[in-house]
Every structure is written in structure tokens, then in C-alpha cells.
Amino acid sequence: MSNCEVEIIGKPVKDMYGAPMGKILGTSTDIDGSIQTVGINCGSEGLKQIAFDQLVVQSEVVIFIPKWRLDSQRLLKQKELVIRRLNALMEIVSDNDSMKSDAEIIHEKYNTKLMTLQRTEYEITSELDNRVVEIEEQEKSVKVLLFDAKVQLKSNEISQETFDHVQNETDEMLQHMKHEKDEIAKVKSRLANLSLEDMIPKVSQSSVMPGTYLKDSSEGESAETRLPEPPISTPSPTGKTQLMAVPSQTKSSVDPESDWIKRMTSP
């Protein structure tokens, strides 16, 4: 058993917003000893197998990163790089038209890659749409539960203290869902608006090589490819779970005394 396995087994797992998921029960490794998946004991929901690259291991807690976020981050980086290379190629051709024939092969390579990324983008966008539908269904269930608690309060079946506890917990869940939906919307917007015209330097239309992907984009849109981080909120009335932001580099170490670690390790 590797040192990494020893360090993570038994640690609590939380999502990006600080909501508890369970504890790490064990790991599955490849023939070379590298960790492939991690088993999380989720209580009544049973054992969940999570890919190791979806986890960020910290000193006191392990953070779960949803797959759609990793896929979107990877696609944004790849798409930006291909577009930048196509733009650089077109700039070279515009400076020296005699090199146009020499650049055709490389241009075709990058343009084909961009078309492939467009198909991947369609698949990821569909995945994001499905996730939004799931969140909205969960929101409905939470709101029904809260409304039923209000009825029970009015009928003197539960105390005001009990109702306040239900309301605080459901409000926190709804807030988490809203932040995830907002982040998905921003990711979809960045994917849709990342095109050749968003990259600099600008290239004249006459220098564009045949078959190059050009797409209209909204004026003033940012071409930034780093995914938005979940916003950090003030403490909830109960003083329990708070929102957290995940570090941009999942493999890097983080100061155990940092604020977000303190929030993650709070009861």
C-alpha cells in the first residue's frame, strides 16, 4: 500500500461547496501501484467509486470535483490552444503570402482538430444541460420538503426551532445548487464564445485560409478559459457548512492554515 493510500483512507470527502459526501473506504490500484479509483462510503447511498483524478487530497479533507468540470476545463484549454495556433498560422501567411502553400498541411491538421473539439464540445454541452435538469429536479424536491415543514409548523406538529433547522439546511442546499447552475452557465458561455475572432492578433479576412473555422462572437466577451470558482459566502446562520473555492492546480499543496481549509474542516 502506497503512502498516498494510507494518507487518504478514512478521510472525509466533501464537494466543492463544502457539503459532506462520506468517508474514503479504500482504493483500487493499477498493476504499477498507481491509484485508479477511490471507494467512498456514502452511508445509506452505499459505496461510490470515484476516479482518483476527480479528487483533491488535502491535509484533513478530500475534495470531490465533478467530472463535467474537469472535462470542460480540458476542452477550454485545448480549444484555445488550437485557435491560437490557427491564428498564428494565418498571421504568418498574411505576412508572407508565398508561404501559403507550405502552410496548407499544418493548417489542415489544426482545422481538423478544431472540428473534432467542436464535436466534443457538443457532447459536453449536452452533459451540462442534463446536469442542469438534475439540479432543477433536486431543487423542486427540496422546496417541497421545506413547504411541507411550513405546514407542519402551522399545524403545531413541529416546533419553531425544528422548522428553523429545516429551513437553514434547505436554504444551504438551494444555495449550493444555484452556484453550480451559475457556474455551468458561465462555462457554456465561454465555450460558445471562444472562437478565432476572440483571439489576438486580429487577422484580415483576405488572409484566412480556406476551410478555417470562423464564428461570430459577442463584442466584449472574455476569452478567458479558466473556469469560474464557486463564490465564497458569509457564514450561514447555523455556522456550519460554508462555500469553498477549489484550488486551480489539483495536485499542488495548500497551506493547511488557509481560510478555505478551515471552512472545509469545520463540523
Side-chain angles (χ1 to χ4, degrees), residues 94-266:
S94 66
D95 292 340
N96 189 348
D97 193 62
S98 63
M99 299 182 65
K100 190 171 183 178
S101 59
D102 298 331
E104 285 288 352
I105 296 178
I106 298 178
H107 169 267
E108 183 62 26
K109 171 186 174 182
Y110 291 142
N111 204 46
T112 300
K113 178 62 175 178
L114 187 58
M115 297 301 107
T116 302
L117 291 177
Q118 282 184 278
R119 291 192 290 270
T120 303
E121 179 179 338
Y122 174 79
E123 295 172 357
I124 291 178
T125 300
S126 298
E127 181 182 350
L128 296 178
D129 290 338
N130 292 336
R131 178 55 186 158
V132 170
V133 171
E134 291 177 3
I135 295 173
E136 290 175 345
E137 289 299 319
Q138 293 172 4
E139 285 177 328
K140 291 178 183 178
S141 298
V142 173
K143 290 177 181 178
V144 168
L145 185 65
L146 177 60
F147 186 80
D148 192 72
K150 291 180 180 179
V151 174
Q152 294 177 44
L153 175 65
K154 289 295 183 181
S155 61
N156 296 321
E157 297 176 65
I158 61 175
S159 65
Q160 182 66 47
E161 182 181 359
T162 300
F163 172 76
D164 290 342
H165 179 74
V166 173
Q167 186 168 41
N168 289 334
E169 293 295 328
T170 53
D171 285 349
E172 188 173 284
M173 288 187 67
L174 291 172
Q175 188 180 42
H176 291 177
M177 294 174 188
K178 179 182 182 300
H179 286 316
E180 185 172 358
K181 285 173 62 178
D182 290 345
E183 185 179 5
I184 289 174
K186 291 177 182 178
V187 169
K188 290 176 64 178
S189 176
R190 289 184 181 178
L191 284 172
N193 290 302
L194 184 60
S195 67
L196 280 175
E197 292 186 351
D198 292 315
M199 300 291 104
I200 54 175
K202 293 291 184 181
V203 180
S204 63
Q205 190 68 28
S206 60
S207 66
V208 176
M209 303 180 72
T212 298
Y213 170 72
L214 285 172
K215 178 180 177 181
D216 292 334
S217 61
S218 302
E219 185 176 354
E221 286 287 346
S222 170
E224 180 186 0
T225 58
R226 184 174 61 84
L227 291 184
E229 300 293 350
I232 299 175
S233 70
T234 55
S236 61
T238 57
K240 293 185 178 180
T241 307
Q242 301 180 32
L243 300 184
M244 54 155 287
V246 175
S248 57
Q249 296 296 328
T250 59
K251 299 299 181 182
S252 62
S253 60
V254 177
D255 181 5
E257 295 302 319
S258 61
D259 290 341
W260 74 271
I261 285 292
K262 292 178 181 178
R263 289 195 296 273
M264 289 297 298
T265 55
S266 62

